[in-house]
Amino acid sequence: MSQLFIISIIATGIITILLVPVTKKFPKVELTSKQYRIIAVSVLIFSFISTFFVVYVSKIDLQWTTFLYILPVIALGGAIFSTGIERKIKSAVVLLSIIAVAYILGAPLFNANDKYKSAEMAEDVEIKAFDETQTPASVPPKYVKNKMKKAFGQVPNTSFYELGNLQIQKVNGEYVYIAPVEFSGLFKWFNGKTTPGYFTMSATDANENPKFVKQEMTYVPSAFLNKNLERHIRLQYPTLIFYGAPQLEVDDDGKPYYIRSYGEFISARNGFDVKGIILVDAATGKSEKITLADVPAFIDGAVSPETVSLQNSYFGNYVHGFWNSVFGKKDVKLPSDEGTEANVSPIFTEQGEMYYFTDFTSPKEGVDSMLGYSLTNARTGEATYYTGNLEESYMDSQGALEIIEKKFIEKKWEGEMPVLYNFYGEASWLTAVLDSNGFLQNYFIVSAANPEISAYASTPNEALKLYKTALSRGGSMVEGASDAEEARATGEVIRVYKERVGDFTMVSFLLASGKSFIVSTETVPLAVYMEAGDTVNVIYLATGEQFLPVKDVVITGLPGQK
């Protein structure tokens, strides 16, 4: 607060000097010394109150360039009220300040190359194959928010509060969604003073119910006056440049913190280049400025999703400068707007690192082919652009959503949160499918290069099993993390388990040799007749999994088979 007072006083002094004639001479008006003092003091007081009020309410940064926008108006008023040499000096200030404002407003025309350089990415062909023994963090946020709202009765004094924004992160090795409880209005804040805690729910298991964690928080985005989180940060760091909304992060002990990304303008109050975070204890308000290199281990999303989305825009649009992005559009690629957070989707690697995913498409209308995709490290901001197999044309996220819409057109189900994975060596879209009420119905996987190859099931892992058999049937090369090779086995079936999944039946069976197999009736329709005691000849993929995926199976003695 003290810095705000000091800067307001300095700004007030400059405004008063510009508006009130230093020579004490007004055009065509003769004032006594007392009248002059009254005018000067009045301008001083009014300027201070106005400056303090505007800065306090708007929470704008207090770099000196902020005041350039009003300088021409103030200087013009001062020139009108002045005479002689003072009028000439203030007129010159008007001219210079107009040039400065024009420079700021025109910055996007000439700093496009600097923006592109700040967002430039390393380049690769394809992401590493997904480990088929893992479960992707694929529960869609819309579904999670619906479940959290239904569990809101766990919150004490429920009428005071509402559910805040979702964030995904890793807590104690588990991937979870976190959503703070926020005040629902000014009077609720006045009566409540603090929020009671936050909700958490698994990001990998859609069947898990939300849990309310009691942790009182005072400094939150929905609070007012000095307890408002953004104002609290601004009052302590009045000159820092922020981009993106504050996000809740929880350490492994369940203690809540808010973070906000800060950085620098690319040039002339335009563009943004992230440098670090402000970390705020949500209970006490204690704050700390931390560079990206020193971010604590429990923080997953140090770089705000809004910042990543902005960098993707720089990288895709400004490859050949500003004017090319408007007219020629050579090599321009547009980042998708299908992400779950500010047009990007957070995902986790096998090592537990969070990245923001975005796919890029052509600026040409009616084209749904993907030009590439990017992954941006959420802690460091470092990004890699993947071109995909240049010999194949990949479908973009919008194309994947359209396939789902057509697949379930009668039920009016829609896809949400499409993310591209490398499943078994095939670039594939994994998308959650929700009904019209926002409830999760299944998971849909479709090949980006061969849209006719797809599978869906009630869980991601079941969908992966079906997708593996669909890839085998479709002639695609099933590899994955285990570098599977084709093998054969013959023996007696001693156990059989059949489960209906989607439009087909998954048949799991155990041979006397101790090996377990799994096959879909989509791949081998006659497998539905398998029973214990049958002798079978199996062609399978040696993936090393507990249940080995079957490419073909022959049941000895079954009519129509040898």
Side-chain angles (χ1 to χ4, degrees):
M1 181 71 80
S2 59
Q3 293 186 62
L4 174 58
F5 272 107
I6 292 171
I7 294 175
S8 297
I9 290 172
I10 293 173
T12 299
I14 295 173
I15 291 172
T16 304
I17 291 172
L18 286 174
L19 276 178
V20 181
V22 178
T23 58
K24 301 182 181 181
K25 296 180 180 180
F26 287 83
K28 301 179 182 181
V29 178
E30 291 186 8
L31 298 177
T32 64
S33 296
K34 183 178 180 180
Q35 290 174 322
Y36 178 83
R37 286 196 298 271
I38 291 174
I39 291 175
V41 171
S42 298
V43 170
L44 192 71
I45 294 173
F46 179 77
S47 300
F48 177 80
I49 293 174
S50 300
T51 302
F52 183 86
F53 179 78
V54 169
V55 171
Y56 184 82
V57 171
S58 68
K59 301 181 282 258
I60 194 171
D61 68 273
L62 294 183
Q63 294 200 0
W64 68 272
T65 52
T66 303
F67 300 96
L68 280 177
Y69 292 111
I70 63 167
L71 187 59
V73 177
I74 300 297
L76 179 61
I80 293 172
F81 296 140
S82 302
T83 59
I85 187 68
E86 186 175 353
R87 171 174 285 185
K88 293 180 180 179
I89 292 174
K90 290 181 179 179
S91 296
V93 173
V94 173
L95 180 60
L96 292 173
S97 59
I98 289 175
I99 294 173
V101 171
Y103 173 77
I104 291 175
L105 296 177
L109 301 178
F110 56 78
N111 67 2
N113 290 331
D114 292 331
K115 289 178 178 176
Y116 177 78
K117 190 173 293 185
S118 72
E120 203 164 8
M121 304 181 187
E123 192 169 298
D124 206 339
V125 177
E126 208 76 82
I127 54 176
K128 181 182 176 184
F130 184 80
D131 184 351
E132 58 228 48
T133 64
Q134 302 294 315
T135 300
S138 52
V139 180
K142 184 177 179 180
Y143 171 73
V144 173
K145 200 159 190 175
N146 280 344
K147 292 196 73 171
M148 287 183 175
K149 286 181 178 179
K150 295 183 186 306
F152 213 72
Q154 301 177 42
V155 180
N157 296 318
T158 307
S159 62
F160 281 23
Y161 309 106
E162 61 187 14
L163 193 65
N165 294 326
L166 287 176
Q167 283 87 231
I168 190 171
Q169 64 180 103
K170 184 179 65 174
V171 180
N172 288 316
E174 300 292 330
Y175 304 130
V176 297
Y177 280 103
I178 303 291
V181 172
E182 298 278 2
F183 293 108
S184 58
L186 172 62
F187 294 105
K188 304 299 173 63
W189 167 75
F190 185 78
N191 291 322
K193 303 301 181 185
T194 62
T195 58
Y198 58 88
F199 279 93
T200 178
M201 179 177 161
S202 172
T204 57
D205 185 1
N207 294 318
E208 183 179 298
N209 290 319
K211 298 176 183 176
F212 177 68
V213 180
K214 292 183 179 180
Q215 283 280 354
E216 284 197 353
M217 295 183 281
T218 303
Y219 296 87
V220 295
S222 57
F224 291 83
L225 300 179
N226 287 8
K227 302 303 185 197
N228 175 269
L229 178 68
E230 291 186 33
R231 181 171 292 113
H232 176 71
I233 295 174
R234 174 55 71 200
L235 292 177
Q236 294 183 79
Y237 304 96
T239 61
L240 281 188
I241 309 302
F242 298 109
Y243 195 84
Q247 294 197 99
L248 183 68
E249 291 271 353
V250 177
D251 67 15
D252 287 343
D253 296 323
K255 183 175 177 59
Y257 295 85
Y258 274 99
I259 64 169
R260 196 174 189 194
S261 300
Y262 76 85
E264 299 174 349
F265 292 123
I266 300 296
S267 64
R269 295 192 64 81
N270 184 259
F272 183 77
D273 188 19
V274 64
K275 297 298 179 183
I277 64 167
I278 300 300
L279 177 68
V280 181
D281 186 318
T284 66
K286 181 181 178 181
S287 306
E288 185 178 0
K289 180 182 176 183
I290 307 173
T291 63
L292 289 181
D294 299 320
V295 169
F298 74 87
I299 292 177
D300 296 300
V303 181
S304 68
E306 294 90 346
T307 298
V308 175
S309 184
L310 187 68
Q311 291 174 339
N312 286 336
S313 176
Y314 294 162
F315 177 76
N317 283 286
Y318 298 141
V319 60
H320 297 306
F322 174 80
W323 295 113
N324 179 72
S325 70
V326 177
F327 298 109
K329 298 188 177 182
K330 178 184 177 183
D331 297 328
V332 167
K333 39 191 175 288
L334 301 181
S336 166
D337 59 359
E338 300 297 341
T340 58
E341 294 185 25
N343 297 332
V344 297
S345 294
I347 63 173
F348 286 88
T349 65
E350 296 165 23
Q351 291 74 35
E353 294 180 310
M354 191 168 92
Y355 283 78
Y356 293 112
F357 167 82
T358 309
D359 65 302
F360 292 77
T361 189
S362 170
K364 186 175 181 180
E365 293 185 9
V367 176
D368 63 359
S369 62
M370 185 176 65
L371 299 180
Y373 55 99
S374 68
L375 289 178
T376 303
N377 190 299
R379 282 174 56 87
T380 67
E382 296 177 357
T384 301
Y385 179 74
Y386 296 89
T387 61
N389 188 338
L390 298 178
E391 296 179 359
E392 296 181 332
S393 179
Y394 285 176
M395 172 179 58
D396 64 12
S397 57
Q398 184 60 42
L401 294 176
E402 289 175 358
I403 286 178
I404 292 173
E405 184 178 352
K406 293 175 183 177
K407 180 75 175 179
F408 304 105
I409 190 169
E410 293 182 358
K411 298 179 179 179
K412 296 182 180 180
W413 293 353
E414 295 181 346
E416 185 185 344
M417 200 173 78
V419 176
L420 195 74
Y421 287 91
N422 182 344
F423 289 140
Y424 316 113
E426 185 88 2
S428 312
W429 288 105
L430 171 63
T431 308
V433 180
L434 306 181
D435 63 20
S436 57
N437 295 315
F439 291 105
L440 182 65
Q441 295 300 321
N442 61 50
Y443 291 92
F444 192 91
I445 305 177
V446 59
S447 168
N450 303 292
E452 67 277 5
I453 300 177
S454 64
Y456 62 93
S458 57
T459 68
N461 293 99
E462 288 296 331
L464 274 172
K465 292 176 183 177
L466 288 173
Y467 185 62
K468 181 184 289 186
T469 58
L471 283 172
S472 302
R473 178 175 52 84
S476 294
M477 189 174 185
V478 180
E479 293 178 346
S482 53
D483 294 326
E485 294 181 359
E486 189 176 293
R488 295 174 181 269
T490 300
E492 180 186 353
V493 177
I494 59 174
R495 292 286 190 277
V496 179
Y497 176 74
K498 299 171 185 177
E499 179 184 13
R500 186 73 176 179
V501 180
D503 295 334
F504 304 99
T505 298
M506 295 295 294
V507 180
S508 304
F509 58 97
L510 174 67
L511 296 188
S513 62
K515 287 185 177 181
S516 297
F517 300 87
I518 187 168
V519 62
S520 170
T521 55
E522 182 183 18
T523 305
V524 185
L526 294 181
V528 73
Y529 298 120
M530 187 182 298
E531 296 179 350
D534 287 340
T535 299
V536 295
N537 297 311
V538 184
I539 301 175
Y540 66 95
L541 297 168
T543 60
E545 297 172 273
Q546 185 175 0
F547 286 86
L548 299 167
V550 173
K551 291 189 67 175
D552 192 22
V553 58
V554 175
I555 304 173
T556 304
L558 191 69
Q561 293 192 344
K562 295 182 180 180

